[in-house]
Amino acid sequence: MQQDIIDQLHKWRESLNSKEILCFENLPSIDLYMDQVVSIIEKLLSPYFNDTTKLITPSIINNYVKLNIIPPPTKKKYSKEHIAKLIIICVLKQVLSISSIKILMESHLKSMLISEFFNLFCKDLHETICATIGIRQIDSVTSPEKQINKMLLELSIKAGSNKLAADKILTAYDRKAKQKK
């Protein structure tokens, strides 16, 4: 069973490597209605998330508009820029608060276009996941169960450590931005 988990991780990595990395230019160039946006985001992010993960709903999108994380739609239609921001939010909300995501996005969008930020984000997401999965090799001495448990512990610690570091940086950035006002 433990070997099956390792095999599944390797298949996931192979699957990700066989797909084209998300990029701004490949997002729909026509404006879409909310249900279409939900559908396209779920489709584009499906290689990264479990089937049971509900990433976005119409009410969630409405909340992001109310919180000024994304601009309101134009005539009930969402642009390519909306979709890019929503994809970034969907991924980051797995580890960051919405207020932290807003700070992070605003800080990047001061110095680059959404297309540049989105492409950078997607490239880094893809490479980081593939590198994380790729460093896992089967050890013939240690039992598969111990390997899986060790991997799970290491990944959990790294995720927690990365979240703590990101929170510290975002808090410092937010304080500095508030001092300038």
Side-chain angles (χ1 to χ4, degrees):
M1 182 175 123
Q2 304 300 332
Q3 185 61 46
D4 291 343
I5 295 171
I6 293 171
D7 291 343
Q8 286 175 11
L9 286 174
H10 287 292
K11 285 180 186 173
W12 183 37
R13 182 173 186 258
E14 288 171 17
S15 171
L16 289 176
N17 279 331
S18 70
K19 294 185 184 337
E20 189 175 323
I21 297 175
L22 285 176
C23 68
F24 191 79
E25 294 72 28
N26 291 344
L27 294 177
S29 55
I30 59 169
D31 293 347
L32 303 173
Y33 289 106
M34 188 176 307
D35 287 341
Q36 294 170 307
V37 169
V38 169
S39 178
I40 197 87
I41 290 173
E42 287 177 344
K43 179 183 176 200
L44 291 171
L45 290 178
S46 66
Y48 298 99
F49 291 92
N50 293 325
D51 295 338
T52 58
T53 306
K54 190 67 176 164
L55 297 171
I56 194 144
T57 64
S59 62
I60 290 172
I61 294 173
N62 286 331
N63 286 337
Y64 295 157
V65 171
K66 287 177 191 171
L67 294 170
N68 292 319
I69 297 172
I70 62 168
T74 304
K75 297 180 183 178
K76 296 186 178 187
K77 288 190 172 183
Y78 294 83
S79 68
K80 189 180 223 181
E81 289 78 9
H82 285 102
I83 294 169
K85 287 180 180 181
L86 287 167
I87 288 172
I88 292 167
I89 293 166
C90 285
V91 173
L92 293 179
K93 76 178 180 181
Q94 307 303 310
V95 292
L96 296 176
S97 68
I98 296 302
S99 60
S100 292
I101 294 169
K102 185 175 182 181
I103 293 166
L104 185 147
M105 287 177 49
E106 287 173 351
S107 70
H108 278 82
L109 295 175
K110 284 180 185 175
S111 61
M112 62 176 60
L113 299 172
I114 183 61
S115 58
E116 295 170 299
F117 178 46
F118 182 75
N119 288 342
L120 174 68
F121 177 85
C122 291
K123 180 179 178 283
D124 286 353
L125 172 67
H126 184 85
E127 289 175 357
T128 301
I129 290 174
C130 288
T132 300
I133 300 166
I135 61 172
R136 306 296 169 197
Q137 300 299 323
I138 298 169
D139 176 357
S140 59
V141 177
T142 310
S143 73
E145 183 176 1
K146 285 184 180 179
Q147 288 181 65
I148 293 295
N149 289 339
K150 185 176 187 292
M151 182 187 325
L152 184 57
L153 180 62
E154 287 174 2
L155 291 173
S156 298
I157 289 169
K158 284 179 185 177
S161 300
N162 288 339
K163 182 185 182 332
L164 290 171
D167 285 343
K168 289 283 186 191
I169 293 167
L170 288 165
T171 300
Y173 189 90
D174 190 38
R175 279 193 200 126
K176 190 174 180 178
K178 286 178 181 174
Q179 288 174 352
K180 286 183 180 181
K181 289 181 182 180

